[in-house]
Every structure is written in structure tokens, then in C-alpha cells.
Amino acid sequence: MIGLQWKAAQAGLTTYFHPGINLKKIHYYSIKLYEKLEEETGQVVGFHQPGSIRIATTPVRVDEFKYQMTRTGWHATEQYIIEPEKIQEMFPLLNMSKVLAGLYNPGDGHIDPYSLTMALAAGARKYGALLKYPAPVTSLKPRSDGTWDVETPQGSMRANRVVNAAGFWAREVGKMIGLEHPLIPVQHQYLVTSTIPEVKALKRELPVLRDLEGSFYLRQERDGLLFGPYESQEKMKVQDSWVTSGVPPGFGKELFESDLDRITEHVEAAMELVPVLKKADIITIVNGPITYSPDILPMVGPHQGVRNYWVAVGFGYGIVHAGGVGKYLSDWILHGEPPFDLIELDPNRYGKWTTTEYTEAKARESYGFNNIVGYPKEERFAGRPTQRVSGLYKILQSKCSMGFHAGWEQPHWFYKPGQDTQYRPSFRRTNWFEPVGSEYKQVMQRVGVIDLSPFGKFNIKGQDSIRLLDHLFANVIPKVGFTNISHMLTPKGRVYAELTVSHQSPGEFLLITGSGSELHDLRWIEEVAVRGGYDVEIKNVTDELGVLGVAGPQARKVLQKLTSEDLSDDVFKFLQTKSLQVSNIPVTAIRISYTGELGWELYHRREDSAALYDVIMNAGQEEGIDNFGTYALNALRLEKAFRAWGSEMNCDTNPLEAGLEYFVKLNKPADFIGKQALKQIKAEGLKRRLVCLTLATDDVDPEGNESIWYDGKVVGNTTSGSYSYSIQRSLAFAYVPVELGKVGQQVEVELLGKNYPAIVIQEPLVLTEPTRNRLKKKGGKDKI
């Protein structure tokens, strides 16, 4: 492992809180490790655990706290919303005039970074690790067998794998092997006061305070106070000289010159909330570097395109992540798969589109937004658009609200003249609710077009291509000219990825995955191919191909005007794939649609997107063709009970509990990855299962990760949700214990502090078009 350091710029804050889901597990493990570290290593670590309180001074902050409470209810973390009276009792020095509520985490606190680093080093030595420092890495050279030669002034060594954990030197280490890690150092300041009599008189340590509107944290430091602000993106300072010229040689525990002018408004906010600060003397100002990634989340795991090169870099909140990430990485390395899903930390979420300019713009934004309200469906606009825009971007940008997907801009929803076009995030239904309903009807009743260009797209061919895919996927390999939905599983039988697999010509395949999974999935495929010695060629064609989805009852009628290929149901069957011409534009057409309606996905050269879109829109005028976005797509797929990777299935779930049995062929001859584990899971029986719920709410809909209640206890969680425009009720997927999974079972879903009655329904709520077609041919009734 490259990197061992302590960070002078950190105030050592530790918290169980995180707005994400599985990152709470990282925080939890770190804190539990630090609690026993002194006893285990004999090293004093200076760990204080007085708890922490986040302060709400606006009604929307109270909503945010309620939103976070339902996302925490099914985790081990203790968290409570507390009233102003309780806040004042715990922190008697507060000015309570604006305080509405607090979010309280017992066990939060702070730890001395230097002491923690020394204790972790002592513990590592105790269990056999060899630590050498100073030992700067001067060269990294990959070998043909996947091992590495690592050069340092203290000598060279051979490593089976390299973990880049080099902090603000991580960029330099990456450059040694031709990688540009999207990291940038920012300056962060905190202030320490002299003794304050009112603090000294307290009988117990004050909880750590976070004033979210004032954008600062504050804690007790001996008999004084320490507080650190996060200034706005306009005022904060990026250490960009380190990006262009590298970290100065020998830089270690040094600090930057302080700059109080940048944080004056935050100091004033702190004095208003904690009035004793007004008469306190500032004795220390610390201004040091913190390394930021574009989205403030660290990058953890193996890196695509380089064998046995792992990273643990970009820790904006390093102390609370350190212990948990160390355990997470070691488990992954030892067992060949991550212990739980953390795709939000995947270093492969970034790519060639992540320029230095983008990284700086996003780091500024992320730092300035440290304490911004965390809404569902949040969008952040700095650094956009990147070079990754589809051929439709200029045509559509003035007609819709775009979302950011792995560097791409993709329409979320479209607006009509006279409608509110602003980005208005909310915990409740907001300005996109009605327009999305119109798009839903467009697809169900007429025909809609959607830009699906952000899909990850791979070509795989070669003499071992079929053998490789048969080993990778739990489903059978589709026949030539056909497509299926297939899943890559981990050795323990969890769902690593979901892709559509199209067998285009003998031994040549087109694989499609979600935008956020592109390099995540490609890395896994490449690793298995290399490890198994498969003779295949794997090519990432994501940026070369555009994709248009055409869906709805009139889709065939519109497209048939533009091609000589027979699109009739008997000739172009569901899940077939064909190469054809649409108005002289070559496309690969797959009869599939995530809407569950009649539809095709049209894969084409990215430079042809605008022309293809124009001819389709012109051809569909008589049928009333129009655009639709991903919000309507989500509502449509939920009604059809289509699962989504990252929500209903991921590395935390197995395909059987996710209801994916149809796509898992345990009896196929090939020994696919995870097959034996899945057989064991099936033999032992499931403990939980995915169900579909309907619930009557008022102005709020489930998003996913909300707590499911039964008999006064939290028993499960939602995975995704939406409003159903067909039955005009909320709809959600949820994991519940098997005994609560029967149709008709009543449970409750917690949304913004209120439990709403919900009922398990027979899925799907709406039958797919192929199923409706089949029933019609058999004389059955249409069920919509």
C-alpha cells in the first residue's frame, strides 16, 4: 500500500451520519474500531464521543431531517430528531431564537488525527505488517503477469497489487502509470479559541454542533471552542498550483497562510448562534489541504484498464472513512468481491471526459455545497456540459430539464409553453409532476421518443466469446439475432451487474448496461477474461454509438414508414435484433423497451443522432409523436415491475430474493460465476424477498431506501418508488421478510416523518405489451 499520513487540516470529526446508504456502514465500522483501538494497541488516541447535533433553522431543513430519519431506520446507526428544549439542555450556550429542531447522533465526536495514525500503525505492526517511512515511491512498473515493481529510495519490491492511498500525492502516483485521477486539493480553515469561562464551567463536554445554514461545524476544544466553516464556491480556495506543478517536494505537516476574510460571514454566523464566541480570543488558525474528488466522495476499489491497481483516494472527510474503508478494501481483496455495494465510491465512475477543468469546477461546487439541503433527484450544474453530449443535446436542451449521468446530459422531463421550467428540487411533488404524467400518457396512448445514448455499450468477439459470456452470465447465451437480459453474479451469488446481451452475428455480441455502470461492468468483464485466458476482443463503444428509444402503441406504425424491413409482430419478434436502414441511416434495432410497451432501441453512429431523430419525429406527426424523459421511464418500468440495477439488485442482493429467477439458469451446463453459491442460497431458503407495494399518500412519493414498518418495528426498506399515473397512487418496490411478502399483506412506509399504509400487490401492476399480445392471441383479457 502506498500512503500513510495524518492530516493537519482535519478537525478530527467522527460521525455515524451520512446521507448515503451503505456509507453509513463505513462510518459505523470506523467508529467502532476507534473505540477499541487504545485497548488493542496501547496507544492513546484522544477519542471524544459527546454526540453531535445538526441544527435546523428552516422548515425545509426539518423536512430533510425527516427524510434522513426514514433512510436510517433500517440501519444500526442511532439517530433521532430532537426538540429545541432538548437541544438547549445538551448545548446550553446556544442562541435558540431560530432553532426549530436538531438531528442527534449519539456516539459522534472527534479524534486526534496524529494519535489515530500512530495507533493504526502500531496495530498493523502488531499483526505483522512492515511499515517503512519516509519511502516515497519513485516508480511504478506493471509486469506482464499482473504484478508490479515498486521503486523507493529504500529499495525496490515486487507487489501482487498496488493500493494508491497517497492522499494529496495520489495524482502523482497515478501519473506514474498514465492515469489522471480527478483529484484537487482545496484549502480548509478552522479556528481555535482560548479558554472561554462559560465553556470551562460546563460539567460535561458539549456535543459537536453543525449549523447547516451557517455552513460550519463547532466543537469543544479543551476549555475553548473550535469551529470550521465551509465557505461558498466563489470564496473558497483551490490549491491549483499543485494540480499543474505537483505537490511541493517535502511537503508534509506544513500549513497555508490563513485568510480570515474568506470566512468572515461564517464567523459572524457562529457568533450569532453561540454568543460566547463574541468575547473569545482566537489563538490558532489552521489552514491546510484536503483532497477533493469532483463529487466529494472518495474513490475506492480496483481501477479499470490497469491490472491489480487499486485506489483509496479523494477523502474529503478522511478520518471517519479511514477504518471502514481499510476493512472494506481488505475484505474485497481477500474474497474477490466487495462486502457490500458502494458503487458511489467506484473510481470508475469517472472517465476520459473528466477533465482538470471539470474537476476544479465540481470541487469548488462540492466544497461550497457541503451543507446544502440534500434533496432527492438532486442536480448540480457546475462543470456541465462535458464533452459527453449526445447528438441531440443542442436540439433538446431548451425543451427539457437535463440530468447528469456519467458525464452525459440526458432529458429527465420535458416542458411545454407556459409551464414552469425551473429546477425546483423538493421532498414533495414539484413542478415536474404534471409534465411527467403527460409523458406517461404519451407513451401509453401514442408514441414517444427518448434519448438513451448514455447507456454503456461494449462489443465482444473472438473464438472464446461464447465461452466467456457463458461463464460470466447466469442466463443462457441468446441465439444469433436475439437479445436477452443477463446478470453477472459475484462468487457469493450477489448481483454484480445487469446487462442486455445481443448476439449480432456468430460469436459477436453487443452488451448494454446502465450509464453509471459502464466502467464498473467493463472492469469485471476484462478481469475475468484476462484471468481465464479467454481469446476475445473487448471494445468499449459507449462514446461511438448513440441510442434512441421509440415506444408506445404507434411505434411500429411510425418506424415502418422509414424502413423496408418488415416490423410486424410475427417477423420482428420481441427481443429480436436486426441491422437495418431507417431512412438510409444504418441502425442496429433491438425490439425491447424499458417502458414495457411496444418499442425498439435504435443503436447508431453518434454523429447520426440528430438526423435519425428528425426523420422519426417528422414521420410520427400524424400519430402525435413527442418526447419523454427518464422520470416517465421510471414510472413506466415500475408499473411493469421491471427491476433496476442499483436499486432492486446490487452487490447486497441475490437474484432469487430480487425475483430474477426467470433470468437465472441453474441447470445450464456452464459453471457460471456464483452458480454454486446460488444453489446453496436456494437450498437454505430465502429470508426476505422483493415485493411491490401500493400506498395512498398526499403530496409525497417514495424514492427508495425508506423504512418499512410492521407491528411497530422497522422490518425492511423500499428500493425505488414513484407515482403510478395509471392508478393514481404511489408505487414502490421493497424488501420485506418472506413471511410478510404475501399478496394482500399490509405494512407501512415512512415518508417525511409519517407512516403511510401500504399493501403488497400482485405484480406487475400493468402487464407488458408482449404479455398483453400473447393473452389476446389466446383469447385472454387485456389487463391495464
Side-chain angles (χ1 to χ4, degrees):
M1 176 175 285
I2 299 168
L4 177 67
Q5 63 173 312
W6 65 280
K7 292 191 175 182
Q10 291 209 346
L13 300 182
T14 56
T15 177
Y16 284 113
F17 176 87
H18 195 278
I21 300 304
N22 278 348
L23 264 168
K24 298 181 202 299
K25 295 181 180 180
I26 295 291
H27 289 216
Y28 187 87
Y29 181 88
S30 291
I31 291 173
K32 293 304 178 188
L33 171 67
Y34 302 164
E35 285 176 348
K36 62 183 181 184
L37 205 54
E38 188 171 325
E39 178 185 343
E40 190 172 346
T41 67
Q43 294 276 328
V44 176
V45 294
F47 194 16
H48 298 246
Q49 293 183 276
S52 79
I53 305 172
R54 285 169 169 75
I55 298 295
T57 55
T58 65
V60 74
R61 283 290 182 191
V62 178
D63 273 354
E64 183 184 23
F65 288 0
K66 292 174 181 177
Y67 178 71
Q68 288 302 334
M69 282 301 297
T70 187
R71 294 161 67 84
T72 302
W74 49 286
H75 283 268
T77 301
E78 271 193 275
Q79 186 169 288
Y80 310 96
I81 292 179
I82 57 176
E83 298 296 320
E85 295 76 19
K86 183 65 176 176
I87 297 171
Q88 187 156 41
E89 178 188 326
M90 297 173 71
F91 203 118
L93 306 180
L94 282 187
N95 170 8
M96 299 297 296
S97 62
K98 295 180 181 177
V99 176
L100 300 178
L103 193 66
Y104 172 53
N105 287 98
D108 282 10
H110 54 96
I111 195 166
D112 176 50
Y114 179 81
S115 300
L116 173 63
T117 304
M118 293 301 104
L120 289 170
R125 287 194 194 92
K126 178 180 176 181
Y127 294 109
L130 176 64
L131 273 65
K132 289 191 175 184
Y133 58 90
V137 173
T138 56
S139 172
L140 277 179
K141 292 180 180 174
R143 297 171 59 86
S144 59
D145 63 356
T147 61
W148 291 84
D149 285 332
V150 183
E151 300 284 343
T152 80
Q154 294 202 25
S156 62
M157 66 191 80
R158 179 74 47 81
N160 290 327
R161 64 185 57 80
V162 167
V163 182
N164 181 350
F168 42 70
W169 293 282
R171 282 180 60 92
E172 274 84 337
V173 173
K175 284 180 179 180
M176 292 178 187
I177 56 171
L179 294 178
E180 287 281 346
H181 294 311
L183 301 168
I184 201 156
V186 303
Q187 293 189 14
H188 178 65
Q189 300 183 96
Y190 64 82
L191 292 69
V192 183
T193 75
S194 61
T195 295
I196 299 173
E198 291 88 343
V199 174
K200 187 174 183 178
L202 295 169
K203 294 181 180 176
R204 63 171 181 264
E205 185 175 353
L206 292 166
V208 177
L209 201 71
R210 290 176 173 86
D211 179 11
L212 303 178
E213 303 308 320
S215 193
F216 66 86
Y217 57 82
L218 181 146
R219 68 167 176 83
Q220 188 170 336
E221 175 70 6
R222 296 187 176 86
D223 292 331
L225 295 172
L226 176 156
F227 64 104
Y230 290 97
E231 58 268 39
S232 69
Q233 57 184 306
E234 293 79 20
K235 291 187 176 182
M236 61 86 69
K237 187 168 183 180
V238 169
Q239 194 64 21
D240 44 19
S241 64
W242 287 17
V243 177
T244 54
S245 307
V247 181
F251 188 95
K253 302 173 186 177
E254 293 85 351
L255 297 170
F256 302 122
E257 188 176 341
S258 61
D259 183 359
L260 278 176
D261 289 343
R262 290 208 316 260
I263 59 174
T264 299
E265 63 185 278
H266 303 281
V267 174
E268 291 171 353
M271 288 177 174
E272 182 182 354
L273 186 66
V274 186
V276 295
L277 280 171
K278 293 177 182 177
K279 52 187 178 182
D281 293 324
I282 296 172
I283 57 170
T284 305
I285 303 174
V286 174
N287 184 15
I290 295 178
T291 306
Y292 264 44
S293 70
D295 63 8
I296 209 173
L297 293 175
M299 298 157 63
V300 176
H303 203 288
Q304 186 271 331
V306 191
R307 288 177 69 190
N308 296 320
Y309 175 78
W310 297 58
V311 296
V313 299
F315 290 90
Y317 311 111
I319 290 296
V320 77
H321 288 153
V325 165
K327 176 77 163 85
Y328 183 82
L329 273 181
S330 60
D331 283 352
W332 192 345
I333 289 168
L334 286 170
H335 303 302
E337 64 180 277
F340 48 86
D341 181 73
L342 271 181
I343 194 171
E344 63 266 43
L345 303 192
D346 188 355
N348 307 301
R349 67 188 185 272
Y350 300 116
K352 293 176 182 176
W353 54 269
T354 317
T355 62
T356 301
E357 293 75 21
Y358 171 84
T359 300
E360 178 171 344
K362 296 306 284 188
R364 284 186 174 279
E365 179 185 59
S366 294
Y367 186 90
F369 281 6
N370 245 287
N371 292 302
I372 198 172
V373 175
Y375 289 105
K377 293 183 169 65
E378 181 187 51
E379 287 292 321
R380 296 186 176 186
F381 298 98
R384 294 170 55 181
T386 71
Q387 65 194 42
R388 256 190 163 178
V389 292
S390 81
L392 302 185
Y393 178 71
K394 290 182 179 179
I395 297 172
L396 299 180
Q397 64 174 322
S398 63
K399 302 176 181 178
C400 67
S401 177
M402 291 279 187
F404 190 73
H405 298 268
W408 296 90
E409 299 289 332
Q410 186 175 29
H412 276 172
W413 61 279
F414 288 82
Y415 30 75
K416 302 296 183 188
Q419 291 181 334
D420 182 1
T421 64
Q422 298 303 305
Y423 169 66
R424 301 196 188 282
S426 176
F427 295 104
R428 295 175 166 80
R429 292 171 192 158
T430 183
N431 59 333
W432 53 259
F433 181 76
E434 297 295 340
V436 170
S438 299
E439 293 172 34
Y440 169 91
K441 290 175 185 173
Q442 177 71 34
V443 175
M444 291 296 290
Q445 298 173 7
R446 293 181 291 278
V447 56
V449 177
I450 184 170
D451 185 6
L452 299 172
S453 297
F455 280 165
K457 318 165 195 86
F458 318 128
N459 279 332
I460 298 183
K461 61 183 179 180
Q463 67 178 29
D464 289 339
S465 59
I466 292 176
R467 199 164 61 87
L468 170 63
L469 297 187
D470 217 12
H471 179 57
L472 276 168
F473 291 112
N475 206 345
V476 294
I477 303 303
K479 297 175 183 177
V480 175
F482 282 86
T483 296
N484 72 13
I485 295 168
S486 295
H487 299 86
M488 296 194 296
L489 308 183
T490 70
K492 292 183 180 178
R494 295 167 179 163
V495 185
Y496 187 83
E498 179 183 76
L499 299 92
T500 57
V501 179
S502 296
H503 202 160
Q504 295 184 293
S505 62
E508 186 165 346
F509 297 86
L510 175 65
L511 273 57
I512 306 300
T513 188
S515 58
S517 308
E518 175 196 347
L519 299 182
H520 168 271
D521 295 0
L522 182 61
R523 185 203 65 80
W524 184 270
I525 295 167
E526 289 174 337
E527 183 178 297
V528 172
V530 170
R531 194 169 60 230
Y534 293 92
D535 183 4
V536 293
E537 179 186 326
I538 302 167
K539 186 180 181 185
N540 185 0
V541 293
T542 299
D543 289 345
E544 297 173 25
L545 297 180
V547 191
L548 283 182
V550 183
Q554 300 296 320
R556 178 181 288 117
K557 189 175 179 183
V558 171
L559 290 176
Q560 191 64 79
K561 299 176 188 180
L562 301 170
T563 183
S564 59
E565 187 79 35
D566 187 348
L567 302 183
S568 64
D569 193 52
D570 292 334
V571 178
F572 204 139
K573 296 180 174 64
F574 178 56
L575 293 179
Q576 264 194 294
T577 175
K578 297 183 180 185
S579 294
L580 49 87
Q581 301 267 325
V582 175
S583 190
N584 296 319
I585 298 170
V587 304
T588 295
I590 305 175
R591 191 178 153 194
I592 193 172
S593 177
Y594 202 37
T595 65
E597 295 303 305
L598 173 66
W600 280 263
E601 290 175 359
L602 307 175
Y603 293 80
H604 56 276
R605 293 179 306 178
R606 191 167 157 191
E607 56 267 32
D608 289 338
S609 291
L612 182 62
Y613 174 82
D614 283 343
V615 297
I616 292 171
M617 296 303 281
N618 288 332
Q621 290 304 301
E622 187 180 331
E623 289 76 21
I625 197 167
D626 209 344
N627 299 293
F628 72 104
T630 58
Y631 286 1
L633 181 65
N634 187 54
L636 287 156
R637 71 96 183 170
L638 276 162
E639 289 189 349
K640 306 303 194 308
F642 290 168
R643 278 73 170 147
W645 193 89
S647 299
E648 283 69 55
M649 54 180 141
N650 55 25
C651 289
D652 295 328
T653 60
N654 68 66
L656 304 182
E657 64 188 3
L660 299 170
E661 298 93 333
Y662 178 82
F663 306 102
V664 175
K665 303 301 191 280
L666 284 171
N667 58 353
K668 80 172 187 175
D671 187 22
F672 62 84
I673 298 170
K675 184 176 186 179
Q676 300 311 315
L678 214 52
K679 284 183 175 179
Q680 186 175 343
I681 290 168
K682 187 174 183 179
E684 292 174 355
L686 300 177
K687 295 179 181 178
R688 63 172 191 166
R689 62 179 293 249
L690 190 71
V691 297
C692 197
L693 302 172
T694 59
L695 55 157
T697 66
D698 27 57
D699 63 343
V700 59
D701 297 299
E703 289 282 336
N705 299 311
E706 294 99 355
S707 295
I708 303 292
W709 291 76
Y710 178 75
D711 198 22
K713 296 177 183 176
V714 175
V715 294
N717 63 280
T718 61
T719 55
S720 57
S722 172
Y723 183 77
S724 168
Y725 292 91
S726 68
I727 62 169
Q728 297 181 15
R729 291 165 68 91
S730 292
L731 190 64
F733 272 127
Y735 277 106
V736 297
V738 169
E739 60 272 20
L740 297 179
K742 298 181 181 65
V743 172
Q745 176 68 54
Q746 294 187 338
V747 292
E748 294 176 322
V749 179
E750 181 186 346
L751 301 172
L752 294 184
K754 180 179 176 182
N755 285 13
Y756 291 90
I759 188 167
V760 177
I761 64 165
Q762 180 69 48
E763 60 176 76
L765 181 66
V766 178
L767 292 178
T768 64
E769 181 269 342
T771 304
R772 299 197 304 261
N773 242 1
R774 195 167 62 249
L775 288 176
K776 280 181 182 177
K777 289 178 180 177
K778 290 181 179 178
K781 291 184 177 179
D782 201 3
K783 175 193 169 188
I784 301 180

